[in-house]
Amino acid sequence: MVFDLGEVLVPSQGLERRLAAELGVPEPELRVAYRAHRRRHDLGDPPHRYWSAVFADLGLPPDPDRMDAAERLDVTFWSALPPTSSMLLADLARAKVRLAVLSNAPRGLAAAVRAAAWSGPFDRMLFSADVGLVKPSQDVYRRADVEFRTVPEQVVFFDDRVDNVRAAVAHGWDAHLWRGAAAAVRLLRDRGVLG
């Protein structure tokens, strides 16, 4: 069982609003700048390069302290598991399902997730910054099978992006668009993964 992180295990509700308030900029402008440079960050660009680009787009001076604060908020937010995800993972762990994460995520977030107490039940975690590959590249799914010690037909995968799901299906995974924990439980019961 493979999960994406952002918008699957951890929903983004409120992050961009909090970052915008922290930086004193309008939320729509923050959203555009935050997303514009994320791919390079997810591929391994260091935080100062990412936040320098975001701050430049927002017309903010490159204040190292404010960039560090933005990075801390970003990492803390994305590595905090909500109760619905905790309950789902606990059910899967009790059913002795092998769990893995495959996520486009920068190095700082990857480290925080691995260090989080909730990550204990996961057999493997693969983040884009670890391997310099991002979804929906076919290469990332092939690499994940190597890291997870799986063949494609053994994997059930949840992601919030249609392009990532389609790429995973093309690779041979049983991939599904994330529609919440309750929908995932229904699907897993249909698959005989959960009783």
Side-chain angles (χ1 to χ4, degrees):
M1 182 73 46
V2 180
F3 292 94
D4 181 32
L5 180 64
E7 303 296 4
V8 176
L9 292 178
V10 181
S12 68
Q13 294 173 346
L15 172 62
E16 290 169 346
R17 182 176 64 251
R18 289 177 62 188
L19 276 170
E22 180 79 21
L23 298 176
V25 297
E27 186 177 342
E29 291 178 23
L30 181 279
R31 182 177 301 113
V32 170
Y34 180 87
R35 296 177 184 183
H37 307 283
R38 197 69 182 190
R39 185 175 189 276
R40 286 178 34 210
H41 194 32
D42 287 343
L43 281 167
D45 262 8
H48 71 271
R49 188 175 299 168
Y50 170 68
W51 290 108
S52 292
V54 171
F55 275 43
D57 285 2
L58 294 170
L60 297 173
D63 181 329
D65 290 338
R66 294 187 79 200
M67 287 192 284
D68 287 348
E71 172 71 1
R72 280 193 303 275
L73 177 58
D74 190 54
V75 167
T76 300
F77 188 95
W78 285 121
S79 60
L81 200 69
T84 53
S85 294
S86 295
M87 288 186 287
L88 173 61
L89 295 179
D91 288 345
L92 290 168
R94 278 192 295 275
K96 303 207 181 311
V97 175
R98 281 185 64 212
L99 299 174
V101 165
L102 176 63
S103 178
N104 291 347
R107 285 193 174 97
L109 176 55
V113 169
R114 286 187 174 109
W118 63 261
S119 71
F122 283 86
D123 184 60
R124 292 281 187 274
M125 294 189 157
L126 184 63
F127 297 97
S128 55
D130 295 336
V131 293
L133 298 167
V134 292
K135 295 176 293 182
S137 164
Q138 283 294 304
D139 290 338
V140 80
Y141 300 101
R142 285 191 287 270
R143 179 64 179 268
D145 273 331
V146 171
E147 296 286 333
F148 300 159
R149 300 185 309 274
T150 53
V151 294
E153 55 269 22
Q154 294 176 314
V155 176
V156 178
F157 175 57
F158 291 100
D159 198 290
D160 65 300
R161 293 182 50 134
V162 171
D163 54 346
N164 294 342
V165 171
R166 285 180 179 154
V169 167
H171 174 67
W173 285 5
D174 181 9
H176 303 272
L177 194 65
W178 181 252
R179 301 190 186 282
V185 166
R186 285 193 297 273
L187 185 141
L188 296 173
R189 283 182 176 145
D190 289 345
R191 294 288 190 278
V193 174
L194 289 175

